[in-house]
Amino acid sequence: MKKTALVLVHLACAFVLISGACKSPSNNKLKGLWLSKDGSKKLNITDKTFAIDGEEAEDYFVKGDTVFTSYQGNLPYTTYRIQKLDDRSLKLMLPDSVAVEYSR
């Protein structure tokens, strides 16, 4: 009986560790169609692409509070810094150090 309980405890711990390691990071707050506060810019973020004002969509990844984009994986990356992000608003620092506020 003691061996069975010990095996079950080890299996449960292994399941918790594996499920945590296999979980992919989610950017659900970031994804969607964003419009700038003045209405001049549109930002469309999907699972794999990042596009501003209907320009060609670029691949992207998020590390910390920075969005790194590149066209078809080419270097160098273009960086956009996230200053504020919640469900309804996004404040993004563009590469030319201009902050733009977006809303859904």
Side-chain angles (χ1 to χ4, degrees):
M1 185 66 181
K2 287 183 181 181
K3 288 183 181 180
T4 305
L6 188 60
V7 168
L8 289 176
V9 167
H10 279 86
L11 286 175
C13 290
F15 176 75
V16 169
L17 290 174
I18 291 172
S19 66
C22 294
K23 186 184 262 188
S24 64
S26 173
N27 296 321
N28 289 336
K29 283 186 177 181
L30 192 59
K31 295 175 192 166
L33 180 62
W34 298 90
L35 300 172
S36 65
K37 296 282 184 174
D38 62 359
S40 65
K41 295 187 181 221
K42 291 182 183 178
L43 171 64
N44 189 15
I45 302 174
T46 64
D47 287 333
K48 297 183 180 186
T49 60
F50 183 96
I52 295 179
D53 287 334
E55 293 178 4
E56 190 130 6
E58 299 181 355
D59 300 331
Y60 80 98
F61 65 93
V62 178
K63 189 172 185 180
D65 64 347
T66 306
V67 178
F68 295 90
T69 66
S70 68
Y71 181 70
Q72 296 180 348
N74 293 330
L75 295 178
Y77 293 117
T78 305
T79 59
Y80 299 88
R81 187 166 172 271
I82 301 170
Q83 293 184 328
K84 177 185 171 191
L85 175 63
D86 59 30
D87 293 334
R88 307 295 286 158
S89 65
L90 167 67
K91 188 172 183 181
L92 198 63
M93 180 71 73
L94 301 179
D96 55 357
S97 300
V98 174
V100 178
E101 291 188 41
Y102 294 95
S103 64
R104 289 191 194 231

